[in-house]
């Protein structure tokens, strides 16, 4: 019976083995030999940024790099052994190693000591499922002492820094271990020992290189590092677009706005792995392409000069009394016919927290993210609104006299001019002419010593709608993120409507002021400003530009509802400001050979800067708009200097910046046309003319 039972069992075993070998043998063989094909995308260098003259602004600098690729089934112990070997060949920055990293590492290299951190009772509770693995892990972390951590040697901490980088990557995706300050000796040593370093490779990485330093840096934007990778708040969006979590992306301004263009097409590699996750072979599916290049409208030679001019004039002005609150200035230069931004400059004085000293920093983004009262520079829009509404006609004569309104302090121009027409009102910047124009527009009538009754709802609505046509009070549409529209006042008292007419109520941005003067200069077309001129395919030869992918054409946002002769009359008034008689700008502009036209501005305002103790202090904002040549404009400029000084007079920094910037533009143009090196711009003001009087 026993023999029969044994025979029966062996028979069953033989039959089962036969079934497995004959019936299922091929299936098991295929399972053993099964492989997986996994496609991995590798990042490529970003596209460059180039100025309108072909000068490279942003490029990629090649870097020697050491990478690690983790296989799917690589164990922590295997990674640790590789990290130990690599630590003997390279130096490693350990500043990023945190205390938590050290605790995890200590448990990895001292597993027995880590177990001793848990009591017998707690191990029993784990077996009885009163505690789980996470609870045990937390207890171990809590009980690791400073003495334990201090026992880690410098070599072990270096190994930890490398091991930490290994763990920050993803399976089969190369992770940068070190790409900064990799010496030729380190690169060679690692390359020679790749056979003993599983997963390690040597390659060439890139770093973003801003060729002109801080010039325009706030507009060009930043790129994330491979350490920070994708921003958490946009993680899902980027992952859906086939980004890796540790991939570098644009974080701000042009780098962010044109991320899809600058990113490029990633290289794709198909890895064939066996059942254990070991790579059997790799096949390049696509080589990938560097990101496309952006050609900007900016003239970097001009930009650099305008930046320097603003810096010098701020420092010079700070030597004058009552300028303690002045800390910034802006200048925007653009082609009034195409909207191309030639220079977008802003500078700001910021106190260094360590030294306590003031430092000059780039604040170009302030040209479209900050707004101020602009003063008399907007009077061209007031006159044109007067024409449009019938409040005045070209040539209308009004008396410039002190206005005595019941219950209100006397309102007057900086000087009493008597009977003047519209051109003369612009030339000498008459406040009273503007006030009488808006009084008529709002259905009022000025009676000396009497009350002033205006339809302010109609007045504000009409004025703002008209000003919007020129770009004042609405977004210009510039191709940069975070543009603001300025702040309209909410109070609608009659006196504030008069303030609005002379630019002392609503606030506007410097880029809006540039769009406004460009609209007048080009005959009434509000052109959308832009800083990107072209998008081009990348070329292998970095000295060459690739084929054009897209070209940004001038975009007319609207045509102002004004007659051509009205606009030409305001243009003439602006010419008189700069070139005729006692125009408010003649002292600085009359002798300029490029036939300028423009308007000055001085606005009574209140300080609203970083010094909280000084907020609310009465200050003067200075502004300036200009275009040239008057008869065929090719460049327009807006200059804004908020909180320029306290008191009744101060330095004419708006004129100094404006004239020097315009000089720089035409000097560069002439130098290029003659084939000579760029000429230096004139740093002196004409005969040191007196400061412009405040325009109350």
């Amino acid at each position: 019976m026993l023999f029969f039972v044994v025979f029966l069992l062996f028979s069953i075993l033989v039959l089962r083995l036969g079934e497995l070998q004959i019936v299922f043998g091929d299936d098991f063989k295929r399972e053993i030999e099964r492989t997986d094909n996994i496609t991995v995308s590798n990042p490529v260098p970003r596209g460059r940024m180039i100025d309108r003259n072909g000068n490279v602004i942003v490029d990629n600098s090649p870097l020697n790099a050491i990478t690690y690729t983790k296989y799917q089934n690589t164990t922590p112990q295997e990674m640790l052994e590789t990290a130990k070997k690599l630590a003997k060949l390279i130096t490693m920055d350990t500043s990023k190693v945190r205390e938590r990293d050290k605790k995890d590492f200590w448990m990895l290299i001292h597993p027995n000591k880590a177990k001793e951190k848990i009591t017998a009772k707690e191990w029993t509770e784990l077996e009885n499922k009163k505690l789980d693995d996470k609870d045990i892990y937390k207890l171990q972390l809590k009980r690791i002492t400073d003495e334990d951590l201090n026992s880690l040697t410098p070599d072990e901490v270096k190994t930890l820094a490398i091991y930490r980088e290994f763990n920050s990557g993803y399976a089969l995706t190369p992770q940068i271990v070190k790409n900064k300050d990799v010496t030729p000796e380190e690169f060679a040593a690692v390359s020679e020992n790749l056979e003993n370093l599983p997963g390690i490779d040597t390659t060439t990485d890139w770093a973003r290189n801003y060729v002109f330093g801080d010039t325009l840096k706030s507009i060009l934007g930043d790129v994330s590092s491979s350490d920070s990778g994708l921003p958490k708040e946009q993680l899902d969006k980027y992952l859906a677009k086939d980004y890796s979590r540790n991939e570098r992306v644009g974080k701000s301004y042009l780098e962010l706005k044109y991320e899809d263009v600058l990113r490029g097409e990633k290289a794709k590699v198909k890895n064939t792995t066996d059942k254990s996750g070991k790579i059997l072979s790799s096949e390049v599916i696509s080589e990938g392409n560097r990101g496309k290049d952006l050609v900007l409208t900016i003239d970097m030679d001009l930009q650099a000069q305008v930046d320097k001019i603003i810096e010098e004039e701020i420092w010079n002005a700070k030597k004058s009394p009552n300028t303690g609150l002045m800390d910034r200035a802006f200048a925007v230069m653009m082609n009034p016919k195409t909207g191309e931004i030639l220079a977008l400059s802003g500078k700001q004085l910021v106190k260094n927290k360590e030294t306590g000293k003031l430092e000059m920093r780039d604040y170009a983004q302030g040209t479209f993210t900050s707004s101020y009262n602009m003063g008399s520079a907007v009077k061209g829009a007031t006159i044109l609104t007067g024409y449009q509404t019938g409040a005045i006609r070209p040539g209308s004569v009004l008396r410039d006299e002190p206005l005595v309104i019941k219950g209100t302090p006397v309102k007057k121009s900086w000087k009493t001019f008597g009977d003047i027409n519209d051109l003369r009102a612009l030339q000498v910047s008459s406040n009273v002419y503007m006030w009488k124009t808006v009084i008529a527009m709002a259905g009022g009538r000025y009676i000396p010593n009497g009350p002033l009754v205006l339809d302010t709802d109609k007045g504000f609505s009409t004025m703002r709608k008209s000003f919007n046509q020129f770009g004042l009070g609405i977004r210009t549409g510039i191709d940069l993120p975070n543009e603001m529209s300025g702040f309209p006042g909410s109070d609608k008292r009659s006196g504030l409507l008069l303030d609005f007419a002379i630019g002392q109520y609503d606030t506007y941005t410097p880029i809006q002021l540039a769009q406004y003067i460009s609209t007048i200069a080009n005959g009434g077309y509000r052109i959308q400003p832009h800083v990107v001129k072209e998008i081009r395919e990348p070329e292998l030869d970095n000295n060459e530009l690739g084929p054009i992918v897209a070209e940004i054409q001038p975009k007319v946002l609207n045509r102002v509802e004004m007659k051509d002769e009205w606009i030409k009359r305001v243009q003439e008034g602006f010419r008189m400001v700069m070139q005729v008689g006692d125009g408010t700008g003649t002292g600085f502009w009359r002798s300029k050979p490029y036939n300028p036209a423009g308007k000055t501005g001085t606005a009574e305002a209140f300080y609203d800067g970083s010094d909280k103790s000084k907020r609310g202090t009465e200050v003067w904002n200075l502004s300036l708009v200009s275009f040239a040549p008057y008869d065929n404009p090719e460049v327009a400029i807006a200059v804004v200097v908020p909180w320029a000084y306290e008191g009744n007079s101060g330095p004419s920094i708006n004129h100094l910046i404006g004239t020097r910037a315009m000089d720089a533009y035409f000097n560069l143009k002439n130098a290029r046309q003659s084939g000579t090196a760029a000429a230096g711009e004139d740093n002196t003001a004409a005969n040191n003319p007196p400061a412009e009087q405040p325009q109350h």
Side-chain angles (χ1 to χ4, degrees):
M1 181 65 71
L2 180 62
F3 175 80
F4 177 75
V5 170
V6 172
F7 173 78
L8 183 62
L9 291 175
F10 269 101
S11 298
I12 293 172
L13 179 61
V14 169
L15 288 172
R16 180 58 178 163
L17 289 173
E19 180 188 27
L20 291 175
Q21 185 172 354
I22 298 170
V23 179
F24 299 106
D26 291 340
D27 292 339
F28 285 118
K29 184 178 181 181
R30 283 193 295 270
E31 179 65 20
I32 293 173
E33 295 176 351
R34 178 175 62 84
T35 60
D36 290 324
N37 293 323
I38 301 174
T39 301
V40 177
S41 298
N42 296 327
V44 293
R46 293 173 71 81
R48 301 176 301 161
M49 297 186 201
I50 301 160
D51 85 341
R52 64 186 301 112
N53 300 312
N55 298 311
V56 176
I57 305 172
V58 184
D59 204 349
N60 304 302
S61 296
L63 299 173
N64 286 333
I66 298 167
T67 66
Y68 176 74
T69 303
K70 180 166 62 176
Y71 301 143
Q72 288 178 309
N73 294 324
T74 303
T75 65
Q77 206 61 41
E78 290 172 337
M79 294 169 63
L80 178 60
E81 288 302 315
T82 302
K84 287 180 180 178
K85 293 176 183 178
L86 184 60
K88 296 177 181 179
L89 302 176
I90 65 173
T91 60
M92 194 70 184
D93 179 16
T94 61
S95 61
K96 296 178 184 178
V97 174
R98 301 166 301 175
E99 182 179 287
R100 175 61 178 274
D101 297 324
K102 290 183 178 180
K103 288 184 176 182
D104 286 331
F105 188 72
W106 185 88
M107 286 194 291
L108 180 64
I109 63 176
H110 300 293
N112 294 328
K113 291 183 179 180
K115 288 180 180 179
E116 293 173 2
K117 299 289 183 182
I118 304 301
T119 65
K121 179 183 177 182
E122 288 164 344
W123 285 121
T124 302
E125 289 177 343
L126 176 64
E127 292 177 2
N128 296 331
K129 297 185 178 179
K130 292 182 180 180
L131 295 175
D132 58 23
D133 290 336
K134 289 184 179 179
D135 296 325
I136 296 297
Y137 174 66
K138 290 178 181 178
L139 289 171
Q140 288 174 317
L141 286 177
K142 186 177 180 180
R143 293 168 183 172
I144 294 174
T145 65
D146 290 339
E147 184 180 354
D148 293 330
L149 298 183
N150 291 333
S151 69
L152 294 174
T153 67
D155 286 341
E156 287 175 331
V157 174
K158 185 167 72 166
T159 299
L160 165 57
I162 295 173
Y163 180 78
R164 181 178 180 274
E165 295 301 325
F166 286 3
N167 269 319
S168 62
Y170 301 89
L172 302 181
T173 301
Q175 166 67 23
I176 298 292
V177 177
K178 182 178 180 181
N179 63 353
K180 293 181 180 178
D181 303 321
V182 177
T183 66
E185 292 77 15
E186 289 177 335
F187 194 79
V190 173
S191 298
E192 292 171 0
N193 288 275
L194 292 179
E195 291 184 1
N196 301 319
L197 299 167
I200 296 295
D201 197 5
T202 52
T203 184
T204 300
D205 192 31
W206 55 270
R208 216 63 169 140
N209 176 27
Y210 298 90
V211 179
F212 288 81
D214 289 337
T215 301
L216 208 64
K217 183 65 171 62
S218 62
I219 297 299
L220 300 175
D222 291 309
V223 175
S224 65
S225 66
S226 56
D227 290 334
S228 59
L230 303 180
K232 292 181 180 179
E233 62 276 10
Q234 294 180 304
L235 183 61
D236 292 339
K237 167 190 158 185
Y238 283 117
L239 290 177
K241 292 183 176 182
D242 193 32
Y243 280 78
S244 303
R245 290 177 182 267
N246 59 351
E247 195 166 337
R248 286 164 284 187
V249 297
K251 291 167 53 180
S252 59
Y253 294 101
L254 285 176
E255 293 278 17
L256 171 61
K257 185 172 180 65
Y258 289 91
E259 169 64 26
D260 291 342
V261 173
L262 294 168
R263 176 196 182 194
E265 181 182 345
K266 295 200 290 187
K268 294 186 181 295
V269 178
K270 183 173 73 173
N271 293 315
T272 302
T273 64
D274 61 17
K275 189 179 179 182
S276 67
K278 183 179 180 181
I279 295 178
L280 300 176
S281 65
S282 295
E283 177 187 356
V284 177
I285 300 175
S286 170
E287 293 285 354
N289 291 303
R290 176 172 65 79
K292 296 180 178 64
D293 294 333
L294 291 184
V295 178
L296 306 187
T297 63
I298 302 292
D299 182 333
M300 286 303 286
D301 293 329
L302 178 63
Q303 176 74 40
Q305 287 199 32
V306 174
D307 278 358
K308 180 182 176 183
I309 289 166
I310 291 179
E311 288 186 17
E312 291 177 352
E313 293 303 338
I314 288 177
W315 286 121
N316 288 337
K318 294 289 284 183
K319 299 175 184 177
S320 301
N322 302 321
T323 58
L325 297 178
M326 180 178 64
D327 69 348
R328 65 193 66 185
F330 308 96
V332 179
M333 301 186 77
M334 63 186 287
N335 184 324
K337 297 177 181 177
T338 65
E340 294 181 354
I341 300 293
L342 306 176
L344 193 67
S345 186
K347 292 292 177 178
Q348 182 180 21
L349 287 173
V350 179
K351 184 175 290 187
N352 186 305
K353 293 182 180 180
E354 295 181 0
T355 65
K357 295 181 179 180
L358 290 176
E359 295 178 351
M360 193 72 71
R361 296 185 184 175
D362 183 69
Y363 190 34
Q365 76 269 29
T367 56
F368 55 90
T369 62
S370 62
S371 64
Y372 312 92
N373 298 120
M374 296 302 184
S376 302
V378 306
K379 287 178 178 176
T382 302
I383 291 293
L384 284 166
T385 306
Y387 295 157
Q388 185 183 29
T389 58
I392 57 173
R393 298 188 305 275
S396 290
V397 175
L398 300 176
R399 176 170 289 275
D400 183 300
E401 59 186 339
L403 300 186
V404 183
I405 301 170
K406 185 177 181 180
T408 302
V410 176
K411 299 177 74 68
K412 59 185 179 178
S413 301
W414 63 277
K415 179 180 177 182
T416 299
F417 295 101
D419 292 338
I420 57 175
N421 66 9
D422 49 338
L423 293 181
R424 177 70 175 157
L426 289 173
Q427 178 189 13
V428 297
S429 199
S430 167
N431 285 346
V432 174
Y433 194 97
M434 307 301 150
W435 290 330
K436 288 188 173 181
T437 297
V438 81
I439 288 171
M441 188 188 310
R445 183 182 176 191
Y446 169 66
I447 301 174
N449 297 305
L452 182 62
V453 180
L454 301 177
D455 184 348
T456 54
D457 285 336
K458 175 185 176 183
F460 275 111
S461 175
T462 300
M463 291 288 284
R464 284 179 176 146
K465 182 179 178 182
S466 178
F467 274 41
N468 287 171
Q469 293 185 69
F470 298 90
L472 296 172
I474 60 173
R475 292 183 176 89
T476 65
I478 188 171
D479 54 342
L480 290 167
N482 305 324
E483 181 186 7
M484 72 177 301
S485 58
F487 293 103
S490 57
D491 196 337
K492 293 186 176 180
R493 286 177 291 172
S494 297
L496 297 176
L497 180 60
L498 302 188
D499 291 341
F500 182 99
I502 60 172
Q504 298 196 152
Y505 190 48
D506 286 6
T507 66
Y508 311 117
T509 64
I511 191 70
Q512 288 175 351
L513 207 61
Q515 190 178 59
Y516 150 75
I517 188 59
S518 293
T519 303
I520 291 176
N522 68 31
Y525 296 92
R526 185 166 77 97
I527 307 292
Q528 181 176 345
H530 57 101
V531 297
V532 174
K533 183 180 178 69
E534 298 166 351
I535 299 173
R536 289 179 175 259
E537 291 284 2
E539 281 287 330
L540 293 177
D541 184 354
N542 271 356
N543 295 321
E544 298 291 333
L545 289 175
I548 293 178
V549 175
E551 186 174 6
I552 311 303
Q553 299 294 334
K555 183 177 181 180
V556 177
L557 300 177
N558 62 267
R559 171 68 162 86
V560 296
E561 299 171 359
M562 313 284 176
K563 295 180 180 179
D564 289 344
E565 56 264 33
W566 296 349
I567 297 173
K568 289 179 180 178
R569 190 162 180 86
V570 170
Q571 290 174 345
E572 172 60 18
F574 281 7
R575 186 191 69 83
M576 294 169 62
V577 169
M578 298 295 198
Q579 300 188 46
V580 177
D582 57 352
T584 55
T586 53
F588 289 87
W589 295 85
R590 192 198 323 256
S591 62
K592 298 301 179 183
Y594 38 80
N595 195 14
K599 184 72 188 75
T600 57
T602 312
E604 190 173 9
F606 297 96
Y607 175 73
D608 188 31
S610 58
D611 188 344
K612 295 181 180 179
S613 66
K614 296 290 187 178
R615 287 182 181 174
T617 302
E618 291 187 1
V619 290
W620 294 95
N621 295 346
L622 299 182
S623 62
L624 169 77
V625 292
S626 179
F627 60 89
Y630 158 74
D631 51 352
N632 185 23
E634 62 183 72
V635 61
I637 186 173
V639 177
V640 180
V641 187
W643 321 319
Y645 54 82
E646 302 169 61
N648 290 324
S649 63
S652 297
I653 182 175
N654 54 337
H655 284 291
L656 295 169
I657 292 173
T659 52
R660 291 183 62 188
M662 279 292 211
D663 289 349
Y665 170 84
F666 285 102
N667 287 343
L668 281 168
K669 176 186 174 182
N670 294 335
R672 286 167 178 157
Q673 288 177 344
S674 63
T676 62
E681 27 80 20
D682 183 10
N683 294 339
T684 59
N687 301 320
N688 297 315
E692 177 191 359
Q693 295 297 316
Q695 304 299 303
H696 295 281

